[in-house]
Amino acid sequence: MYTIDTGLLARIDALSLSPRNEAWRAAMKAAPWRVYVDREREALASWKETDGMDLQLRFALQLKRVLENVPIRIHPFDEIVGRPTPGVIGCQTAINVCGDYIHDIWNDDGVIGVTLDAEAYLNPEELALLREAARVFDPISMPTRTYAAWRDLVGSWAEDAEAAKLKDPGLQNGITGQSTATFTWPKILRVGLLGYIDEAKAHIEDALAKKETDINKIYFWRSAVIVLEAVIAHARRYADLAREMAAAETDPAEKARLLRIAETCDYVPAHPARTLHEALQAMAICSVCKVLENPMQNNSHWGRPDQYLYPFFKRDLANGVALEDMASDLADLIGRWGTQTFVSDDMNKETHQVNFGINNLMVGGLGQDRTDQSNELSYLFLHLVAELKLSSPTVGLRWNEGTPDWLMRKAIRTNLETKGGIPLFQNDHVMIGSYVKDGIPFEEAVEWAGLGCVYPSIPTRAEHYGAEGIAAFNLAGLLHMTLHNGLDINGKQTGLQTGDPRDFKDFEELVSAFFKQHQFLCHRDFWLGGVAREICHEFIRTPLLSVLGLEASMELGQDLTKAHPDYSLFGISDRAIIDVADSLLAVKKLVYEEKKLTMAELMEALDSNFAGRRGEEIRQLCLSQPKYGNDDAEADAMVKRISDESARIIRSYDNAPYRNMMISREGLAWHYFGGLGAGALPDGRKALEPLNDGSLSPMRGADVNGPTAVLRSACSSGYSDVCYAAVLNQKFSASLLQSEESIDKLIAYTNAYMRMNGSHIQYNILDTEELKEAKREPEKHGDLIVRIGGFSAYFVQLSPGIQDDVIYRSEFEI
């Protein structure tokens, strides 16, 4: 527990963005969408040069060539340097990793869809280069080879299941073990990359002395030396460029700025950082090199920066470094990482809606001594996020019984400034307790941090969530299949033939059929994921990620693309539980108890999407049934039943020799994607519409008994007993949440929910009328941020379906 300088907190409150931060913001907002092909050009050339070499070394040399040759730029507002492209906004392609995933390159118009509704343009030469890369890399890419293996085993089933939105992600998202999790920043800043190089060389010398027979280990350590030296050289490219620019500069202040950049990039990340500025510069270079190794996973997660950067922060303050200068550097890196983009694969466009990397920054939380570790730097991070007003990074506050009031107050004020659920609140006790229950020691579990939206990761284990094609499956799609004897939304026999529901004798027969579909799909998904796990490392390697992403990799001498039983973690998100529970309860009451409908009548209404007067009458009957989110014991009990049995089925799968699946029910914009996999449902939702947002939120508009009723329902769900995190969104009126009294109430409200074992909560603090106006006149509301599922986005960049979803969520007062 730290001793807090309240005077420093007051100084932080008075800070505003620096002129260079503002200049960056202006340049960022003016920058067009841009796709660069420089990385792909170098990757392709390297691949041709290294034909016949060991795969581990080929990928290391590929990254080396990329880092030596991609164009770099120092912008007038840069004190910290290092971006994936010369542009302020821009992205590289990842065809060498993902294969032929950018299908628009085969259209001659050069228009590339980077999100569902945003485009970039490539000229004919750029298109030709990417087409050549696709022809070379796609046949030998991990996605192509894995789908071929799956087809050998189950025919087109896996692709059919993905097309029906029953499972995600697809393999073309480029996720491999640890690729979406954080780097080991504390060690990187403590020892520098030269320290890692010495470690790798020592392993090589030891292996040769012992006449080690596993040549793959030696190749791994050699690849580590290659990529680490390449990262250092990349930093020194910026140093050389800065000196070159300084030599031509006549303005003394500009010359000094450039020479400082040169001096800093000569020193870090090669050596241990000595100041906060050096630490941030080292992080910027290491992160951009991670992106250039695999641009599809450009997440620059911070982990717990208020802990590992705090000694630099306090030491610099003591040495007279201006608070304003440190804040400007921090805002630079927060903004830079929060606006990194990538070219999405088709499925990612639907599950995420945006193409900004969902980067995660966490503050607060317990430490090794089991006391809260919130400090002035935690406060500064929240303050800068409020000043920047960006949709990313995802900011999480690790709540525990010791979380101080001053941090909670700052968090709510940050939310009021950003509006879109920033920060979110996650329960340390639930998260750490879940890890410990799964056999992870407290000492490891306490260092957890968010990955993407809310999914947790720990720095001592490689996280495979999303890798091998396993991240989430769609219970609403499963219910659709149950109601149609195993036929999916596209009419394919993706599920089991469990019978025509019109012939079911009672409600329990329907529920039994649903859980049979559930077990069939998720266990087959896990099995195919295991197959992918064995294939992945045969076609792709990530030497830089392996060395800097997991400390154990160096000792093991093993790339992270090959899972390890002692160090790999696997997870799944079972989604749409609320939709299924509300739907099953409606069937139970309307068909089997009150007998207001026959199953045939209900099915006719569902299959017609509630068409006609009779269809609408049936829909109103469905909508009027008890719904989760209203402190209704029957509805909440159904949610708990589905949740518990879903968790039991997941945990019944034997993932040996690896750990069994951990469950985390997160957010994204998955409810839009999942909704495309289900026809009309008995809860009254129409076909293809978005499902309930998050994973623990009531269906939009169904929570009619006020916000505390939602919390009581959430606590009755039992989610915290079976999963690590469950996303609960709530919307409060911004116009009414202005006074100190109202802020106090929201703090007390949040604390109460967490003390009731709630695992997560986040707030959209905005008015419904403002959202409607933004949909009508998007040009006037370009900066409006909203919380979607587990992440935030600019409202005007969202699809109309998700915009309506946010608009029609219940708006509460506090």
Side-chain angles (χ1 to χ4, degrees):
M1 183 178 293
Y2 300 105
T3 301
I4 302 303
D5 181 348
T6 55
L8 180 55
L9 299 185
R11 290 172 60 196
I12 291 171
D13 282 332
L15 290 173
S16 56
L17 294 180
S18 70
R20 70 181 178 91
N21 295 153
E22 293 289 5
W24 167 80
R25 276 175 56 88
M28 181 268 295
K29 288 178 176 293
W33 293 102
R34 180 75 190 274
V35 175
Y36 293 79
V37 302
D38 310 288
R39 177 196 171 277
E40 211 71 70
R41 178 183 297 110
E42 302 305 325
L44 185 59
S46 175
W47 200 252
K48 293 175 180 178
E49 290 175 353
T50 60
D51 186 32
M53 291 181 63
D54 175 78
L55 190 65
Q56 188 76 32
L57 297 176
R58 291 189 82 179
F59 272 95
L61 291 169
Q62 187 179 67
L63 179 59
K64 178 177 183 291
R65 175 160 179 147
V66 167
L67 295 181
E68 287 173 343
N69 292 290
V70 289
I72 61 173
R73 183 180 176 188
I74 297 174
H75 295 270
F77 40 76
D78 284 344
E79 292 282 354
I80 293 172
V81 295
R83 287 187 173 84
T85 71
V88 180
I89 295 289
C91 55
Q92 303 279 4
T93 61
I95 292 173
N96 75 307
V97 175
C98 304
D100 186 13
Y101 78 104
I102 311 174
H103 306 309
D104 292 340
I105 64 173
W106 303 107
N107 301 327
D108 292 336
D109 60 8
V111 176
I112 304 296
V114 291
T115 69
L116 287 178
D117 60 356
E119 298 173 336
Y121 176 77
L122 296 178
N123 63 40
E125 292 76 19
E126 292 168 329
L127 280 178
L129 173 72
L130 295 187
R131 288 173 179 178
E132 183 185 2
R135 292 186 187 103
V136 170
F137 289 120
D138 188 66
I140 55 171
S141 69
M142 180 270 290
T144 295
R145 300 304 287 264
T146 303
Y147 279 121
W150 285 353
R151 282 191 290 272
D152 285 342
L153 296 173
V154 294
S156 64
W157 183 89
E159 290 146 297
D160 292 343
E162 289 176 6
K165 321 299 183 187
L166 293 170
K167 62 177 287 289
D168 68 279
L171 296 171
Q172 288 185 317
N173 67 358
I175 296 179
T176 59
Q178 196 66 9
S179 65
T180 60
T182 185
F183 267 180
T184 53
W185 296 122
K187 181 179 178 181
I188 293 169
L189 301 179
R190 185 179 71 252
V191 307
L193 299 195
L194 288 174
Y196 281 87
I197 291 172
D198 289 343
E199 187 180 348
K201 289 181 176 178
H203 279 297
I204 294 171
E205 291 175 6
D206 185 61
L208 294 176
K210 293 178 178 177
K211 296 182 173 58
E212 169 70 61
T213 58
D214 188 350
I215 188 65
N216 293 311
K217 289 185 176 182
I218 295 174
Y219 287 156
F220 174 79
W221 291 316
R222 286 180 179 172
S223 76
V225 174
I226 291 169
V227 295
L228 292 167
E229 288 179 342
V231 173
I232 293 171
H234 191 68
R236 289 175 178 166
R237 285 184 66 198
Y238 280 99
D240 292 342
L241 177 60
R243 274 190 289 269
E244 181 184 327
M245 294 171 66
E249 182 57 65
T250 57
D251 181 82
E254 277 299 288
K255 184 182 288 284
R257 175 182 75 94
L258 292 165
L259 290 176
R260 185 192 188 202
I261 289 172
E263 179 183 352
T264 304
C265 289
D266 272 334
Y267 191 78
V268 293
H271 300 93
R274 299 165 297 188
T275 65
L276 181 64
H277 179 79
E278 288 182 350
L280 296 176
Q281 181 60 79
M283 293 171 71
I285 291 293
C286 290
S287 171
V288 78
C289 293
K290 172 184 182 287
V291 171
L292 289 170
E293 185 172 54
N294 180 0
M296 273 292 278
Q297 296 307 321
N298 65 357
N299 311 66
S300 300
H301 292 301
W302 292 77
R304 303 186 70 186
D306 61 343
Q307 304 305 304
Y308 60 79
L309 291 178
Y310 189 62
F312 297 103
F313 175 68
K314 293 292 283 187
R315 186 163 56 242
D316 282 3
L317 281 174
N319 290 336
V321 178
L323 174 64
E324 292 78 7
D325 290 342
M326 288 190 284
S328 185
D329 284 348
L330 282 166
D332 181 321
L333 201 56
I334 294 170
R336 181 180 311 214
W337 286 2
T339 52
Q340 285 182 175
T341 62
F342 62 102
V343 185
S344 299
D345 68 297
D346 294 342
M347 184 179 290
N348 210 69
K349 291 174 185 176
E350 294 176 337
T351 57
H352 288 62
Q353 296 274 319
V354 297
N355 73 329
F356 288 103
I358 305 177
N359 306 293
N360 197 302
L361 185 162
M362 302 219 77
V363 299
L366 296 171
Q368 292 292 334
D369 65 356
R370 299 176 188 260
T371 65
D372 180 75
Q373 301 297 301
S374 304
N375 56 47
E376 301 96 332
L377 188 53
S378 318
Y379 196 87
L380 178 57
F381 272 115
L382 292 176
H383 182 81
L384 293 173
V385 165
E387 290 291 311
L388 285 165
K389 294 180 177 61
L390 299 173
S391 66
S392 185
T394 293
V395 182
L397 188 150
R398 282 181 44 168
W399 183 96
N400 61 82
E401 287 287 357
T403 299
D405 182 73
W406 54 263
L407 190 65
M408 290 294 292
R409 186 169 298 278
K410 188 65 170 178
I412 297 301
R413 288 197 171 281
T414 300
N415 202 329
L416 283 166
E417 289 291 323
T418 60
K419 295 188 177 181
I422 303 172
L424 56 82
F425 301 88
Q426 285 186 269
N427 192 328
D428 249 2
H429 305 296
V430 172
M431 207 67 64
I432 295 169
S434 296
Y435 273 120
V436 171
K437 187 166 57 178
D438 281 347
I440 303 293
F442 173 86
E443 293 73 21
E444 292 183 66
V446 75
E447 300 300 336
W448 75 273
L451 178 164
C453 294
V454 301
Y455 192 95
S457 64
I458 50 179
T460 49
R461 311 282 174 128
E463 183 52 64
H464 285 248
Y465 178 71
E468 295 99 37
I470 299 175
F473 58 88
N474 184 351
L475 270 68
L478 291 176
L479 180 58
H480 176 94
M481 288 202 306
T482 305
L483 294 172
H484 295 86
N485 199 15
L487 296 178
D488 65 30
I489 189 69
N490 296 322
K492 294 201 172 183
Q493 192 70 51
T494 309
L496 299 174
Q497 291 186 344
T498 49
D500 186 332
R502 297 168 184 84
D503 299 330
F504 291 163
K505 297 179 178 61
D506 55 33
F507 177 68
E508 290 304 318
E509 193 172 351
L510 172 63
V511 174
S512 175
F514 170 75
F515 285 128
K516 286 177 184 176
Q517 299 285 1
H518 184 310
Q519 179 156 324
F520 171 74
L521 183 131
C522 85
H523 283 206
R524 178 170 277 203
D525 191 16
F526 296 162
W527 168 47
L528 295 180
V531 172
R533 196 174 304 145
E534 297 303 312
I535 293 173
C536 177
H537 66 278
E538 296 180 6
F539 299 100
I540 183 174
R541 302 294 168 86
T542 55
L544 182 63
L545 174 69
S546 300
V547 173
L548 300 184
L550 183 71
E551 287 192 36
S553 294
M554 192 75 85
E555 184 67 32
L556 294 170
Q558 179 175 306
D559 197 275
L560 278 171
T561 54
K562 185 173 177 62
H564 192 283
D566 295 337
Y567 293 100
S568 295
L569 295 180
F570 305 88
I572 192 68
S573 186
D574 47 344
R575 300 295 301 273
I577 289 173
I578 304 304
D579 303 89
V580 170
D582 283 350
S583 293
L584 287 178
L585 184 56
V587 176
K588 182 173 184 280
K589 297 186 77 67
L590 291 173
V591 175
Y592 294 105
E593 291 183 353
E594 299 173 2
K595 302 188 185 303
K596 292 182 178 179
L597 296 172
T598 65
M599 184 60 84
E601 288 176 308
L602 178 59
M603 288 303 303
E604 182 179 355
L606 297 178
D607 290 342
S608 71
N609 200 21
F610 300 110
R613 188 171 71 176
R614 180 55 177 161
E616 181 59 26
E617 287 174 356
I618 291 175
R619 180 169 181 261
Q620 292 303 318
L621 281 173
C622 293
L623 289 170
S624 68
Q625 299 311 300
K627 295 288 191 289
Y628 162 83
N630 295 292
D631 194 23
D632 181 284
E634 194 173 14
D636 298 345
M638 185 64 75
V639 170
K640 188 175 189 309
R641 179 180 182 183
I642 305 302
S643 168
D644 288 352
E645 183 61 14
S646 179
R648 187 201 65 77
I649 290 171
I650 291 168
R651 289 176 175 158
S652 70
Y653 183 80
D654 184 0
N655 199 39
Y658 306 100
R659 285 180 170 271
N660 282 349
M661 299 288 169
M662 52 185 275
I663 303 168
S664 185
R665 297 163 180 165
E666 57 171 1
L668 302 172
W670 184 94
H671 59 300
Y672 170 86
F673 166 85
L676 299 177
L681 294 177
D683 63 351
R685 169 199 158 275
K686 288 193 170 184
L688 308 184
E689 288 185 350
L691 303 167
N692 78 297
D693 73 85
S695 57
L696 196 49
S697 305
M699 188 57 167
R700 56 191 166 278
D703 43 347
V704 296
N705 287 346
T708 56
V710 175
L711 296 196
R712 286 192 288 269
S713 286
C715 291
S716 298
S717 71
Y719 274 37
S720 295
D721 298 328
V722 298
C723 72
Y724 283 66
V727 174
L728 173 59
N729 280 306
Q730 290 195 296
K731 185 167 74 174
F732 286 99
S733 168
S735 57
L736 296 177
L737 191 60
Q738 295 294 332
S739 68
E740 287 299 315
E741 180 185 10
S742 63
I743 292 173
D744 287 341
K745 286 181 179 179
L746 191 53
I747 292 171
Y749 180 86
T750 307
N751 290 339
Y753 178 57
M754 292 299 186
R755 290 190 178 109
M756 292 190 296
N757 215 34
S759 66
H760 164 279
I761 197 166
Q762 56 200 15
Y763 307 114
N764 269 317
I765 301 179
L766 37 76
D767 296 325
T768 300
E769 284 307 312
E770 181 182 9
L771 293 171
K772 291 180 178 178
E773 182 182 326
K775 188 176 182 184
R776 288 193 300 268
E777 300 180 278
E779 67 281 357
K780 296 181 180 179
H781 298 271
D783 292 332
L784 180 61
I785 300 171
V786 296
R787 179 66 74 175
I788 306 305
F791 74 103
S792 299
Y794 296 105
F795 182 79
V796 298
Q797 294 180 5
L798 299 169
S799 65
I802 286 293
Q803 288 181 332
D804 287 342
D805 170 70
V806 177
I807 288 172
Y808 294 110
R809 294 176 191 176
S810 297
E811 179 183 313
F812 296 123
E813 300 176 9
I814 191 75

